[in-house]
Amino acid sequence: MTERKTLQDIQDEVDKYISQFKEGYFSPLAMMARMTEEVGELAREINHYYGEKPKKAEEEQKTVEDELGDVFFIVLCFANSLGIDLQEAFDRIMHKFTTRDKDRWTRIEE
């Protein structure tokens, strides 16, 4: 089994990939537009699989997994372009959920 990458490893891998191109990262506004586009594609796939809108026969077959991968990639690019450490951001958000929001939802009884 291969060793799993850390979130920092993944951010570094994306940065290495983007850094080989003169264009580099898009501007924040363009990045937001790309993210919106990718989330829209994810929504479309979710609607095809779980909603009331089946794919047309001529539509390209994509998967929710692929679309989530695209969203993840653009989130990584966005974070890198703004110098955001996603591990630190994640840790802060989890702290918020486990403290401020700890009683927001009904817990499963053990």
Side-chain angles (χ1 to χ4, degrees):
M1 187 169 117
T2 60
E3 189 174 324
R4 295 185 68 82
K5 297 174 186 175
T6 67
L7 189 49
Q8 186 60 59
D9 292 338
I10 294 168
Q11 278 193 259
D12 290 346
E13 184 175 343
V14 168
D15 193 57
K16 183 177 178 183
Y17 172 76
I18 296 295
S19 294
Q20 68 182 325
F21 304 109
K22 289 180 182 180
E23 295 81 2
Y25 291 105
F26 297 147
S27 70
L29 188 56
M31 200 78 71
M32 190 69 229
R34 287 284 318 276
M35 185 180 301
T36 302
E37 176 185 353
E38 295 299 346
V39 169
E41 291 176 12
L42 173 60
R44 185 173 177 83
E45 286 305 302
I46 294 292
N47 197 20
H48 288 317
Y49 284 98
Y50 304 105
E52 290 72 37
K53 186 178 179 189
K55 280 188 182 276
K56 296 176 186 173
E58 67 275 6
E59 282 187 273
E60 181 183 353
Q61 290 297 316
K62 295 184 180 180
T63 65
V64 170
E65 182 179 4
D66 289 341
E67 296 305 332
L68 277 171
D70 288 344
V71 169
F72 185 49
F73 182 79
I74 196 68
V75 166
L76 292 160
C77 288
F78 211 163
N80 284 353
S81 73
L82 297 174
I84 294 170
D85 181 322
L86 283 174
Q87 184 66 59
E88 289 177 9
F90 175 79
D91 291 344
R92 281 194 310 274
I93 294 305
M94 284 308 298
H95 177 73
K96 178 177 75 174
F97 279 110
T98 59
T99 56
R100 183 193 79 186
D101 295 340
K102 67 181 172 57
D103 296 321
R104 179 173 270 182
W105 295 280
T106 307
R107 294 194 181 274
I108 298 172
E109 299 296 325
E110 292 185 31

